[in-house]
Amino acid sequence: MDKKSLELIPALEKVNGGWHALSKVKDVEFTYDYDDKNKKAKDISKERFIFNGEQIWGEYSEHKVNVIPEIEGIVHQRVIDGKPEASL
């Protein structure tokens, strides 16, 4: 992760009230758009966090940077009870 991204994460957390405030919502969904200008590539996903059980779900419609860039098609990732899974 580059320096600018590392600086933006705390600012994003602050704007949203921090991780603790998000966990009170219990179920959060957002679109994540990661653009690597150096590689001229993107990862675009819809992500969902369900707190109180720690379930995380992501559907990557574009994944050319961090998530299986050599594979075409939609990729699903899940973490349930601390156990990661991925499928195409």
Coordinates of all heavy atoms in Angstrom, one line a residue:
M1 N 0.9 -1.2 0.0 CA 0.0 0.0 0.0 C 0.9 1.2 0.0 O 1.9 1.3 0.7 CB -0.9 0.0 1.2 CG -2.0 1.0 1.2 SD -3.2 0.9 2.6 CE -4.0 -0.6 2.2
D2 N 0.6 2.2 -0.8 CA 1.4 3.4 -0.9 C 1.2 4.4 0.3 O 0.2 4.2 1.1 CB 1.2 4.1 -2.2 CG -0.2 4.6 -2.4 OD1 -0.9 4.9 -1.4 OD2 -0.6 4.8 -3.6
K3 N 2.0 5.3 0.4 CA 2.0 6.3 1.5 C 0.7 7.1 1.5 O 0.1 7.3 2.6 CB 3.2 7.2 1.4 CG 3.3 8.2 2.5 CD 4.5 9.2 2.4 CE 4.4 10.2 3.5 NZ 5.3 11.3 3.3
K4 N 0.2 7.5 0.4 CA -1.0 8.3 0.3 C -2.2 7.5 0.9 O -3.0 8.0 1.6 CB -1.3 8.8 -1.1 CG -2.5 9.7 -1.1 CD -2.6 10.4 -2.4 CE -3.9 11.2 -2.4 NZ -3.8 12.5 -2.7
S5 N -2.3 6.2 0.5 CA -3.4 5.3 0.9 C -3.3 5.2 2.5 O -4.3 5.2 3.1 CB -3.3 4.0 0.3 OG -3.5 4.1 -1.1
L6 N -2.1 5.0 3.0 CA -1.9 4.8 4.4 C -2.4 6.1 5.2 O -2.9 6.0 6.3 CB -0.5 4.5 4.8 CG -0.1 3.1 4.3 CD1 1.4 2.9 4.5 CD2 -0.8 2.0 5.1
E7 N -2.2 7.3 4.6 CA -2.6 8.5 5.2 C -4.1 8.7 5.1 O -4.7 9.3 6.0 CB -1.9 9.7 4.5 CG -0.4 9.8 4.7 CD 0.3 10.8 3.9 OE1 -0.4 11.4 3.0 OE2 1.5 11.0 4.1
L8 N -4.7 8.2 4.0 CA -6.2 8.3 3.9 C -7.0 7.5 4.8 O -8.1 7.8 5.1 CB -6.6 8.1 2.4 CG -6.1 9.1 1.4 CD1 -6.4 8.6 0.0 CD2 -6.8 10.4 1.7
I9 N -6.5 6.3 5.2 CA -7.3 5.4 6.0 C -7.7 6.0 7.3 O -8.9 6.0 7.6 CB -6.5 4.1 6.2 CG1 -6.5 3.3 4.8 CG2 -7.2 3.2 7.2 CD1 -5.6 2.1 4.8
P10 N -6.8 6.6 8.1 CA -7.3 7.2 9.3 C -8.3 8.4 9.1 O -9.2 8.5 9.9 CB -6.0 7.8 10.0 CG -4.9 7.0 9.4 CD -5.4 6.7 8.0
A11 N -8.1 9.1 8.0 CA -9.1 10.2 7.7 C -10.4 9.6 7.4 O -11.5 10.2 7.8 CB -8.5 11.1 6.5
L12 N -10.5 8.6 6.6 CA -11.7 7.9 6.3 C -12.4 7.4 7.6 O -13.6 7.5 7.7 CB -11.5 6.8 5.3 CG -12.7 6.0 4.9 CD1 -13.7 6.9 4.1 CD2 -12.3 4.8 4.0
E13 N -11.6 6.7 8.4 CA -12.2 6.2 9.7 C -12.8 7.4 10.5 O -13.9 7.2 11.1 CB -11.1 5.5 10.5 CG -10.7 4.2 9.9 CD -9.6 3.5 10.7 OE1 -9.2 4.1 11.8 OE2 -9.3 2.4 10.4
K14 N -12.1 8.5 10.6 CA -12.6 9.6 11.4 C -13.9 10.2 10.8 O -14.8 10.5 11.6 CB -11.5 10.7 11.4 CG -11.8 11.9 12.3 CD -10.7 12.9 12.4 CE -11.1 14.0 13.3 NZ -10.1 15.0 13.3
V15 N -14.0 10.4 9.5 CA -15.2 10.9 8.9 C -16.4 10.0 9.2 O -17.5 10.5 9.4 CB -15.0 11.0 7.4 CG1 -16.3 11.2 6.6 CG2 -14.0 12.2 7.1
N16 N -16.1 8.7 9.3 CA -17.2 7.7 9.5 C -17.4 7.4 11.0 O -18.2 6.5 11.3 CB -17.0 6.5 8.7 CG -17.2 6.7 7.2 OD1 -18.3 6.9 6.8 ND2 -16.1 6.7 6.5
G17 N -16.7 8.1 11.9 CA -16.9 7.9 13.3 C -16.0 6.8 13.9 O -16.2 6.4 15.0
G18 N -15.1 6.3 13.1 CA -14.2 5.2 13.5 C -14.8 3.8 13.4 O -16.0 3.6 13.1
W19 N -13.9 2.8 13.5 CA -14.3 1.4 13.4 C -15.4 1.1 14.4 O -16.3 0.3 14.2 CB -13.1 0.6 13.5 CG -13.3 -0.8 13.1 CD1 -13.4 -1.9 13.8 CD2 -13.4 -1.3 11.7 NE1 -13.6 -3.0 13.1 CE2 -13.6 -2.7 11.7 CE3 -13.4 -0.6 10.5 CZ2 -13.8 -3.4 10.6 CZ3 -13.6 -1.4 9.3 CH2 -13.8 -2.8 9.4
H20 N -15.2 1.6 15.6 CA -16.2 1.3 16.7 C -17.6 1.8 16.3 O -18.6 1.0 16.6 CB -15.7 1.9 18.0 CG -16.6 1.6 19.2 ND1 -16.7 0.3 19.7 CD2 -17.5 2.4 19.9 CE1 -17.6 0.3 20.7 NE2 -18.1 1.5 20.8
A21 N -17.7 3.0 15.7 CA -19.0 3.5 15.3 C -19.6 2.6 14.2 O -20.8 2.3 14.2 CB -18.9 4.9 14.9
L22 N -18.8 2.2 13.3 CA -19.3 1.3 12.2 C -19.8 -0.1 12.8 O -20.8 -0.6 12.4 CB -18.2 1.0 11.2 CG -17.9 2.0 10.2 CD1 -16.7 1.6 9.3 CD2 -19.1 2.3 9.3
S23 N -19.1 -0.6 13.8 CA -19.5 -1.8 14.4 C -20.8 -1.7 15.1 O -21.6 -2.7 15.1 CB -18.4 -2.4 15.4 OG -18.4 -1.6 16.5
K24 N -21.2 -0.6 15.5 CA -22.5 -0.4 16.1 C -23.7 -0.5 15.1 O -24.8 -0.8 15.4 CB -22.6 1.0 16.8 CG -21.8 1.1 18.1 CD -22.0 2.4 18.8 CE -21.3 2.5 20.1 NZ -21.4 3.8 20.7
V25 N -23.3 -0.2 13.8 CA -24.3 -0.3 12.8 C -24.7 -1.7 12.5 O -25.8 -2.1 12.1 CB -23.8 0.4 11.5 CG1 -24.8 0.2 10.3 CG2 -23.5 1.9 11.7
K26 N -23.7 -2.6 12.8 CA -23.9 -4.1 12.7 C -23.8 -4.7 11.3 O -23.4 -5.8 11.1 CB -25.2 -4.6 13.4 CG -25.2 -4.2 14.9 CD -26.2 -5.1 15.6 CE -26.4 -4.7 17.0 NZ -25.5 -4.0 17.8
D27 N -24.2 -3.9 10.3 CA -24.2 -4.4 8.9 C -23.9 -3.3 8.0 O -24.7 -2.4 7.8 CB -25.6 -5.0 8.6 CG -25.6 -5.8 7.3 OD1 -24.7 -5.6 6.4 OD2 -26.5 -6.7 7.2
V28 N -22.7 -3.2 7.4 CA -22.2 -2.1 6.6 C -21.9 -2.6 5.2 O -21.2 -3.6 5.1 CB -21.0 -1.5 7.2 CG1 -20.5 -0.3 6.4 CG2 -21.3 -1.0 8.6
E29 N -22.3 -1.9 4.1 CA -22.0 -2.3 2.8 C -21.5 -1.1 2.0 O -22.1 0.0 2.2 CB -23.2 -2.9 2.1 CG -22.9 -3.4 0.7 CD -24.1 -4.2 0.1 OE1 -24.5 -5.2 0.6 OE2 -24.6 -3.7 -0.9
F30 N -20.5 -1.2 1.2 CA -19.9 -0.1 0.5 C -19.2 -0.6 -0.8 O -18.9 -1.8 -0.9 CB -18.9 0.7 1.4 CG -17.7 -0.2 1.9 CD1 -16.6 -0.3 1.2 CD2 -17.9 -0.9 3.1 CE1 -15.5 -1.0 1.6 CE2 -16.8 -1.6 3.5 CZ -15.6 -1.7 2.8
T31 N -18.9 0.3 -1.7 CA -18.2 0.0 -2.9 C -16.8 0.5 -2.7 O -16.5 1.6 -2.2 CB -18.8 0.7 -4.1 OG1 -20.1 0.2 -4.3 CG2 -18.0 0.4 -5.4
Y32 N -15.8 -0.4 -3.0 CA -14.4 -0.1 -2.8 C -13.7 0.0 -4.2 O -13.8 -0.9 -5.0 CB -13.8 -1.2 -2.0 CG -12.3 -1.1 -1.7 CD1 -11.8 -0.2 -0.8 CD2 -11.4 -1.9 -2.4 CE1 -10.4 -0.1 -0.6 CE2 -10.0 -1.8 -2.1 CZ -9.6 -0.9 -1.2 OH -8.2 -0.8 -1.0
D33 N -13.1 1.1 -4.5 CA -12.5 1.3 -5.7 C -11.0 1.7 -5.5 O -10.7 2.7 -5.0 CB -13.2 2.5 -6.4 CG -12.7 2.7 -7.9 OD1 -11.6 2.3 -8.2 OD2 -13.5 3.4 -8.6
Y34 N -10.1 0.7 -5.8 CA -8.7 0.8 -5.6 C -8.1 1.0 -6.9 O -8.1 0.1 -7.8 CB -8.1 -0.4 -4.9 CG -6.7 -0.3 -4.6 CD1 -6.2 0.3 -3.5 CD2 -5.7 -0.9 -5.5 CE1 -4.8 0.3 -3.2 CE2 -4.4 -0.8 -5.3 CZ -3.9 -0.2 -4.2 OH -2.6 -0.1 -3.9
D35 N -7.5 2.2 -7.2 CA -6.9 2.5 -8.4 C -5.4 2.7 -8.3 O -4.9 3.6 -7.6 CB -7.5 3.8 -9.0 CG -7.1 4.2 -10.4 OD1 -6.3 3.5 -11.0 OD2 -7.7 5.1 -10.9
D36 N -4.6 1.8 -8.9 CA -3.1 1.8 -8.8 C -2.7 2.5 -10.1 O -2.6 1.9 -11.2 CB -2.6 0.4 -8.8 CG -1.1 0.4 -8.6 OD1 -0.4 1.3 -9.1 OD2 -0.6 -0.5 -7.9
K37 N -2.4 3.8 -10.0 CA -2.0 4.7 -11.1 C -0.7 4.2 -11.8 O -0.5 4.3 -13.0 CB -1.9 6.1 -10.7 CG -3.1 6.7 -10.1 CD -4.0 7.3 -11.1 CE -5.1 8.0 -10.3 NZ -6.4 7.8 -10.8
N38 N 0.2 3.7 -10.9 CA 1.5 3.2 -11.5 C 1.3 2.0 -12.4 O 1.9 1.8 -13.4 CB 2.5 2.8 -10.4 CG 2.9 4.0 -9.6 OD1 3.0 5.1 -10.1 ND2 3.1 3.9 -8.3
K39 N 0.4 1.1 -12.0 CA 0.2 -0.2 -12.8 C -0.9 0.1 -13.8 O -1.2 -0.8 -14.7 CB -0.3 -1.3 -11.9 CG 0.8 -1.8 -11.0 CD 0.3 -3.0 -10.2 CE 1.4 -3.5 -9.2 NZ 0.9 -4.6 -8.4
K40 N -1.6 1.2 -13.8 CA -2.7 1.5 -14.6 C -3.8 0.4 -14.5 O -4.2 -0.2 -15.5 CB -2.3 1.7 -16.1 CG -1.4 3.0 -16.2 CD -1.1 3.3 -17.6 CE -0.4 4.6 -17.6 NZ 0.8 4.7 -18.4
A41 N -4.1 0.0 -13.3 CA -5.0 -1.1 -13.0 C -5.9 -0.8 -11.8 O -5.5 0.0 -11.0 CB -4.2 -2.4 -12.8
K42 N -7.0 -1.5 -11.7 CA -7.9 -1.3 -10.6 C -8.4 -2.6 -10.0 O -8.4 -3.6 -10.6 CB -9.2 -0.5 -11.1 CG -9.0 0.9 -11.4 CD -10.4 1.5 -11.8 CE -10.3 2.9 -12.0 NZ -11.6 3.5 -12.2
D43 N -8.9 -2.4 -8.8 CA -9.7 -3.4 -8.1 C -11.0 -2.7 -7.7 O -10.9 -1.6 -7.1 CB -9.1 -3.9 -6.8 CG -7.9 -4.9 -7.0 OD1 -7.8 -5.4 -8.1 OD2 -7.2 -5.1 -6.0
I44 N -12.1 -3.2 -8.1 CA -13.4 -2.6 -7.8 C -14.3 -3.7 -7.2 O -14.4 -4.8 -7.7 CB -14.1 -2.0 -9.0 CG1 -13.3 -0.9 -9.6 CG2 -15.5 -1.5 -8.6 CD1 -13.8 -0.4 -10.9
S45 N -14.8 -3.4 -6.0 CA -15.5 -4.5 -5.3 C -16.7 -3.9 -4.5 O -16.7 -2.7 -4.1 CB -14.7 -5.3 -4.3 OG -14.2 -4.5 -3.3
K46 N -17.7 -4.7 -4.3 CA -18.7 -4.4 -3.3 C -18.4 -5.2 -2.1 O -18.1 -6.4 -2.2 CB -20.1 -4.8 -3.9 CG -21.2 -4.4 -2.9 CD -22.6 -5.0 -3.3 CE -22.9 -4.8 -4.7 NZ -24.3 -5.3 -5.1
E47 N -18.3 -4.5 -0.9 CA -17.9 -5.2 0.3 C -19.0 -5.1 1.4 O -19.7 -4.1 1.4 CB -16.6 -4.6 0.8 CG -15.5 -4.6 -0.3 CD -14.2 -5.2 0.1 OE1 -14.0 -5.5 1.3 OE2 -13.4 -5.3 -0.8
R48 N -19.1 -6.1 2.2 CA -20.1 -6.0 3.3 C -19.4 -6.6 4.6 O -18.8 -7.6 4.5 CB -21.3 -6.9 2.9 CG -22.4 -6.8 3.9 CD -23.6 -7.5 3.3 NE -24.7 -7.3 4.2 CZ -25.8 -8.0 4.1 NH1 -26.0 -8.8 3.1 NH2 -26.8 -7.8 5.0
F49 N -19.6 -5.9 5.7 CA -19.1 -6.3 7.0 C -20.3 -6.5 7.9 O -21.2 -5.6 8.0 CB -18.2 -5.2 7.6 CG -16.9 -5.1 6.9 CD1 -16.8 -4.3 5.8 CD2 -15.8 -5.7 7.5 CE1 -15.5 -4.1 5.2 CE2 -14.5 -5.5 6.8 CZ -14.4 -4.8 5.7
I50 N -20.4 -7.7 8.4 CA -21.5 -8.0 9.4 C -20.8 -8.2 10.7 O -20.1 -9.2 10.9 CB -22.3 -9.2 9.0 CG1 -23.0 -9.0 7.6 CG2 -23.4 -9.5 10.1 CD1 -23.6 -10.2 7.0
F51 N -20.9 -7.2 11.6 CA -20.3 -7.3 12.9 C -21.1 -8.2 13.8 O -22.2 -8.6 13.5 CB -20.2 -5.9 13.5 CG -19.3 -5.0 12.7 CD1 -19.9 -4.2 11.7 CD2 -18.0 -4.9 12.9 CE1 -19.1 -3.4 10.9 CE2 -17.2 -4.1 12.1 CZ -17.8 -3.3 11.1
N52 N -20.5 -8.6 15.0 CA -21.2 -9.6 15.9 C -21.2 -10.9 15.2 O -22.3 -11.5 14.9 CB -22.5 -9.1 16.3 CG -23.1 -10.0 17.4 OD1 -22.3 -10.7 18.1 ND2 -24.4 -10.0 17.7
G53 N -20.1 -11.5 14.9 CA -20.0 -12.7 14.2 C -18.8 -12.6 13.2 O -18.4 -13.5 12.6
E54 N -18.4 -11.3 13.0 CA -17.2 -11.0 12.1 C -17.3 -11.7 10.8 O -16.5 -12.5 10.4 CB -15.9 -11.4 12.9 CG -15.7 -10.6 14.1 CD -15.8 -9.1 14.0 OE1 -15.1 -8.6 13.0 OE2 -16.4 -8.4 14.8
Q55 N -18.3 -11.4 10.0 CA -18.4 -11.9 8.7 C -18.1 -10.8 7.7 O -18.6 -9.7 7.8 CB -19.8 -12.4 8.4 CG -20.2 -13.6 9.3 CD -21.5 -14.2 9.0 OE1 -22.0 -14.1 7.8 NE2 -22.2 -14.7 10.0
I56 N -17.3 -11.1 6.7 CA -16.9 -10.1 5.7 C -17.1 -10.8 4.4 O -16.7 -11.9 4.1 CB -15.4 -9.7 5.9 CG1 -15.1 -9.2 7.3 CG2 -15.0 -8.7 4.8 CD1 -13.6 -9.0 7.6
W57 N -17.7 -10.0 3.4 CA -18.0 -10.6 2.1 C -17.5 -9.5 1.1 O -17.7 -8.3 1.3 CB -19.5 -10.8 2.0 CG -19.9 -11.2 0.7 CD1 -20.0 -12.5 0.2 CD2 -20.5 -10.4 -0.4 NE1 -20.5 -12.5 -1.1 CE2 -20.8 -11.2 -1.5 CE3 -20.7 -9.0 -0.5 CZ2 -21.3 -10.7 -2.6 CZ3 -21.2 -8.5 -1.6 CH2 -21.5 -9.3 -2.7
G58 N -17.0 -10.0 0.0 CA -16.6 -9.1 -1.1 C -16.8 -9.7 -2.4 O -16.6 -10.9 -2.6
E59 N -17.3 -8.9 -3.4 CA -17.5 -9.4 -4.8 C -16.7 -8.4 -5.7 O -17.0 -7.2 -5.8 CB -19.0 -9.3 -5.1 CG -19.2 -9.7 -6.6 CD -20.7 -9.7 -6.9 OE1 -21.4 -10.7 -6.7 OE2 -21.1 -8.6 -7.4
Y60 N -15.6 -8.9 -6.3 CA -14.8 -8.1 -7.1 C -15.2 -8.2 -8.6 O -15.0 -9.3 -9.2 CB -13.3 -8.6 -6.9 CG -12.7 -8.2 -5.6 CD1 -13.0 -9.0 -4.5 CD2 -11.9 -7.1 -5.4 CE1 -12.5 -8.7 -3.2 CE2 -11.4 -6.8 -4.2 CZ -11.7 -7.6 -3.1 OH -11.2 -7.3 -1.9
S61 N -15.7 -7.1 -9.1 CA -16.1 -7.1 -10.5 C -14.8 -6.8 -11.4 O -14.8 -7.2 -12.5 CB -17.1 -6.0 -10.7 OG -16.7 -4.8 -10.3
E62 N -13.9 -6.1 -10.8 CA -12.6 -5.9 -11.5 C -11.5 -6.1 -10.5 O -11.6 -5.7 -9.3 CB -12.5 -4.4 -12.0 CG -11.4 -4.1 -12.9 CD -11.5 -2.8 -13.6 OE1 -12.6 -2.2 -13.7 OE2 -10.4 -2.3 -14.0
H63 N -10.5 -6.9 -10.8 CA -9.4 -7.3 -9.9 C -8.1 -7.5 -10.6 O -7.7 -8.6 -10.9 CB -9.9 -8.6 -9.1 CG -10.4 -9.7 -10.0 ND1 -9.6 -10.7 -10.5 CD2 -11.6 -9.9 -10.5 CE1 -10.3 -11.5 -11.2 NE2 -11.6 -11.0 -11.2
K64 N -7.5 -6.4 -10.9 CA -6.2 -6.4 -11.6 C -5.0 -6.0 -10.8 O -3.9 -6.0 -11.3 CB -6.3 -5.5 -12.9 CG -7.4 -5.9 -13.8 CD -7.1 -7.2 -14.4 CE -8.2 -7.6 -15.4 NZ -8.1 -9.0 -15.9
V65 N -5.2 -5.7 -9.5 CA -4.1 -5.3 -8.7 C -3.8 -6.3 -7.6 O -2.7 -6.9 -7.6 CB -4.3 -3.9 -8.0 CG1 -3.1 -3.4 -7.2 CG2 -4.7 -2.9 -9.1
N66 N -4.7 -6.5 -6.6 CA -4.4 -7.2 -5.4 C -5.1 -8.6 -5.3 O -4.7 -9.5 -4.6 CB -4.8 -6.4 -4.1 CG -4.0 -5.2 -4.0 OD1 -2.8 -5.2 -4.0 ND2 -4.6 -4.1 -3.9
V67 N -6.2 -8.8 -6.1 CA -7.0 -10.0 -5.9 C -7.0 -10.8 -7.2 O -7.7 -10.5 -8.1 CB -8.5 -9.6 -5.5 CG1 -9.3 -10.8 -5.4 CG2 -8.5 -8.7 -4.3
I68 N -6.2 -11.9 -7.2 CA -6.1 -12.8 -8.3 C -6.1 -12.1 -9.7 O -7.0 -12.4 -10.5 CB -7.2 -13.9 -8.2 CG1 -7.4 -14.4 -6.8 CG2 -6.9 -15.1 -9.1 CD1 -8.6 -15.4 -6.6
P69 N -5.2 -11.3 -9.9 CA -5.2 -10.5 -11.2 C -5.1 -11.3 -12.5 O -5.5 -10.9 -13.5 CB -4.0 -9.5 -11.1 CG -3.1 -10.1 -10.0 CD -4.0 -10.9 -9.1
E70 N -4.6 -12.5 -12.4 CA -4.4 -13.4 -13.5 C -5.7 -14.1 -14.0 O -5.7 -14.7 -15.0 CB -3.2 -14.4 -13.3 CG -3.5 -15.4 -12.2 CD -3.2 -14.9 -10.8 OE1 -2.8 -13.7 -10.6 OE2 -3.4 -15.7 -9.9
I71 N -6.7 -14.1 -13.2 CA -8.0 -14.8 -13.4 C -9.0 -13.8 -13.9 O -9.1 -12.7 -13.4 CB -8.5 -15.5 -12.1 CG1 -7.5 -16.4 -11.6 CG2 -9.8 -16.1 -12.4 CD1 -7.2 -17.7 -12.4
E72 N -9.8 -14.2 -14.9 CA -10.9 -13.3 -15.4 C -12.2 -13.7 -14.7 O -12.3 -14.8 -14.2 CB -11.1 -13.5 -16.9 CG -9.9 -13.1 -17.8 CD -9.7 -11.6 -17.8 OE1 -10.8 -10.8 -17.7 OE2 -8.6 -11.1 -17.8
G73 N -13.1 -12.8 -14.7 CA -14.4 -13.0 -14.1 C -14.6 -12.5 -12.7 O -13.7 -11.9 -12.1
I74 N -15.8 -12.6 -12.2 CA -16.1 -12.1 -10.8 C -15.5 -13.0 -9.8 O -15.5 -14.2 -9.9 CB -17.6 -12.0 -10.6 CG1 -18.1 -10.9 -11.6 CG2 -17.9 -11.7 -9.2 CD1 -19.7 -10.8 -11.6
V75 N -14.8 -12.4 -8.8 CA -14.2 -13.2 -7.6 C -15.0 -12.8 -6.4 O -15.3 -11.6 -6.1 CB -12.8 -12.8 -7.5 CG1 -12.2 -13.4 -6.2 CG2 -11.9 -13.3 -8.7
H76 N -15.4 -13.8 -5.6 CA -16.0 -13.6 -4.3 C -15.0 -14.0 -3.2 O -14.3 -15.1 -3.3 CB -17.2 -14.5 -4.1 CG -18.3 -14.1 -5.1 ND1 -18.5 -14.8 -6.3 CD2 -19.3 -13.2 -5.0 CE1 -19.6 -14.2 -6.9 NE2 -20.0 -13.2 -6.1
Q77 N -14.9 -13.2 -2.2 CA -14.1 -13.5 -1.0 C -15.0 -13.4 0.2 O -15.8 -12.5 0.3 CB -12.9 -12.5 -0.9 CG -11.8 -12.7 -1.9 CD -10.6 -11.8 -1.5 OE1 -10.8 -10.7 -1.2 NE2 -9.5 -12.4 -1.7
R78 N -14.7 -14.3 1.2 CA -15.4 -14.3 2.4 C -14.5 -14.6 3.6 O -13.5 -15.3 3.4 CB -16.5 -15.4 2.5 CG -17.5 -15.3 1.5 CD -18.4 -16.6 1.4 NE -17.8 -17.7 0.8 CZ -17.5 -17.9 -0.5 NH1 -17.7 -16.9 -1.3 NH2 -17.0 -19.0 -0.9
V79 N -14.8 -14.0 4.7 CA -14.1 -14.4 6.0 C -15.3 -14.6 7.0 O -16.0 -13.6 7.3 CB -13.2 -13.3 6.5 CG1 -12.6 -13.7 7.8 CG2 -12.1 -13.0 5.5
I80 N -15.4 -15.8 7.4 CA -16.4 -16.1 8.4 C -15.8 -16.8 9.6 O -15.0 -17.8 9.5 CB -17.5 -17.1 7.8 CG1 -18.2 -16.4 6.6 CG2 -18.5 -17.5 8.9 CD1 -19.1 -17.2 5.8
D81 N -16.0 -16.2 10.8 CA -15.3 -16.7 12.0 C -13.8 -16.8 11.8 O -13.2 -17.8 12.3 CB -15.9 -18.0 12.4 CG -17.4 -17.8 12.8 OD1 -17.8 -16.8 13.3 OD2 -18.2 -18.8 12.5
G82 N -13.2 -15.8 11.1 CA -11.8 -15.8 11.0 C -11.2 -16.7 9.9 O -10.0 -16.8 9.7
K83 N -12.0 -17.4 9.2 CA -11.6 -18.3 8.2 C -11.8 -17.8 6.8 O -13.0 -17.6 6.4 CB -12.3 -19.7 8.3 CG -12.0 -20.3 9.6 CD -12.7 -21.6 9.8 CE -12.5 -22.1 11.2 NZ -13.6 -22.9 11.8
P84 N -10.8 -17.4 6.0 CA -11.0 -16.9 4.7 C -11.3 -17.9 3.6 O -10.9 -19.1 3.7 CB -9.6 -16.2 4.4 CG -8.6 -17.0 5.2 CD -9.4 -17.5 6.4
E85 N -12.1 -17.5 2.6 CA -12.5 -18.4 1.5 C -12.5 -17.5 0.3 O -12.8 -16.3 0.3 CB -13.9 -19.0 1.7 CG -14.1 -19.8 2.9 CD -15.5 -20.3 3.1 OE1 -16.4 -19.9 2.2 OE2 -15.8 -20.9 4.0
A86 N -12.3 -18.1 -0.9 CA -12.4 -17.3 -2.2 C -13.0 -18.3 -3.2 O -12.8 -19.5 -3.1 CB -11.1 -16.8 -2.7
S87 N -13.8 -17.7 -4.1 CA -14.3 -18.5 -5.2 C -14.5 -17.7 -6.4 O -14.6 -16.5 -6.4 CB -15.7 -19.2 -4.8 OG -16.6 -18.1 -4.5
L88 N -14.6 -18.3 -7.6 CA -14.9 -17.6 -8.8 C -16.3 -17.8 -9.2 O -17.0 -18.7 -8.9 CB -14.0 -18.2 -9.9 CG -12.5 -18.1 -9.7 CD1 -11.7 -18.8 -10.7 CD2 -12.1 -16.6 -9.6

